[in-house]
Amino acid sequence: MRRTFIISCLTIIVSTLSANGWTAELKVMNSGGFTAAYKALAPKFEQATGNTLSTAWGPSMGAAPEAIPNRLQRGEPADVVIMVGYALDDLIKQGKVIPTSRTALADSRIGMVVRSGSAKPDISTPDALKQALLHAKSIAYSDSASGVYIERELFKKLGIEEQVKGKAKMIPKIPVASVVANGDYELGFQQVSELLPVTGADFAGKIPESLQSVTLFAAGIPTGARHPDEARQLIRFLSSPEAAPEVNRSGLDALPALSK
């Protein structure tokens, strides 16, 4: 694996130098779910290529100024965007991202956290999850794809929409696990990769597969990218077999192509 990674890196270096003869600063816009994997992989790409990554962070959708679609609408420069797949598809339809650049990176599943040291409710079955939600004093969920699903679909599927209405809240901008860690909420739900990095909260598990909303994260190149060749190299690297271990460690699920 190590030898394969080195060969892959050398290939990137050679192609970069032969194509341009210089290194570039890539502007990357990255949404929360892929953050941990990206932070682990970015230094390896920079070391291998000599290119540097300047990263702006924001959700894949929503009204927040930091949201990637809103950043692009304001004309902020970007060479690569990493975001929820269907949000990226919307940008492609709007002519803001090159269609052929779309590359799937990883699947993301929803999990739950409790405050560190607290008992972890069983959520391994739909009925167990239902009981955990009904008995919880307060519930937090994100303002991105996973939270939208929880608010609009999951509670309805479990038949508890009315029962949890007064104690369940969407948390904007900040990690859901942080408001659980400080004691403001008893249970917190978000994509696993966004829960794991937060200290003070313990991961309790993923929600049952029959109730999951699997979110695909994908990367693309905006139509106005200043460094499209280097952007393609970064996307190839993030979707390579060598990247898969870091993707999995972050709480995402590497796609089959990444796991070969």
Side-chain angles (χ1 to χ4, degrees):
M1 179 66 75
R2 179 178 176 83
R3 182 174 179 273
T4 303
F5 176 74
I6 293 173
I7 292 172
S8 177
C9 290
L10 289 175
T11 301
I12 295 175
I13 293 172
V14 171
S15 62
T16 300
L17 293 176
S18 61
N20 299 310
W22 54 278
T23 58
E25 181 186 62
L26 295 180
K27 303 288 187 181
V28 180
M29 294 183 182
N30 189 12
S31 62
F34 203 76
T35 296
Y38 175 83
K39 286 183 175 180
L41 293 167
K44 297 178 181 180
F45 175 81
E46 291 179 321
Q47 184 177 9
T49 65
N51 296 321
T52 57
L53 303 177
S54 175
T55 309
W57 310 94
S60 297
M61 62 200 78
E66 299 87 358
I68 291 174
N70 297 332
R71 288 182 181 275
L72 293 178
Q73 184 64 35
R74 292 196 301 269
E76 290 189 29
D79 296 295
V80 175
V81 292
I82 301 170
M83 56 198 300
V84 171
Y86 64 79
L88 180 64
D89 292 339
D90 287 341
L91 293 179
I92 291 173
K93 292 176 183 177
Q94 296 168 25
K96 294 179 180 178
V97 171
I98 300 170
T100 55
S101 71
R102 185 189 189 279
T103 303
L105 298 178
D107 282 337
S108 179
R109 285 172 165 78
I110 300 170
M112 187 187 83
V113 291
V114 297
R115 192 176 190 183
S116 290
S118 299
K120 299 176 182 177
D122 176 20
I123 59 169
S124 60
T125 66
D127 187 62
L129 175 61
K130 178 178 179 178
Q131 294 306 314
L133 291 168
L134 288 174
H135 287 94
K137 295 179 180 179
S138 54
I139 304 163
Y141 51 91
S142 79
D143 65 343
S144 193
S146 62
V148 172
Y149 166 74
I150 288 170
E151 183 176 82
R152 297 180 182 177
E153 298 184 46
L154 178 62
F155 293 152
K156 290 181 181 178
K157 289 179 179 180
L158 293 173
I160 59 172
E161 187 177 18
E162 290 302 317
Q163 293 96 314
V164 301
K165 184 175 293 184
K167 62 180 181 179
K169 184 177 180 181
M170 181 176 283
I171 307 299
K173 299 183 180 180
I174 61 175
V176 169
S178 66
V179 298
V180 174
N182 66 22
D184 288 344
Y185 290 86
E186 184 178 346
L187 304 181
F189 293 84
Q190 197 164 12
Q191 290 157 342
V192 176
S193 59
E194 297 185 68
L195 297 173
L196 294 182
V198 179
T199 58
D202 292 342
F203 182 61
K206 298 176 183 178
I207 68 174
E209 192 65 23
S210 62
L211 293 172
Q212 273 289 352
S213 174
V214 180
T215 300
L216 171 71
F217 277 87
I221 302 173
T223 52
R226 297 173 184 173
H227 306 290
D229 292 335
E230 292 83 357
R232 290 186 186 92
Q233 291 165 1
L234 174 59
I235 293 174
R236 284 199 299 269
F237 175 71
L238 295 176
S239 60
S240 69
E242 291 72 37
E246 292 293 355
V247 170
N248 287 327
R249 273 192 288 271
S250 75
L252 295 170
D253 297 311
L255 299 175
L258 293 179
S259 300
K260 293 178 181 178

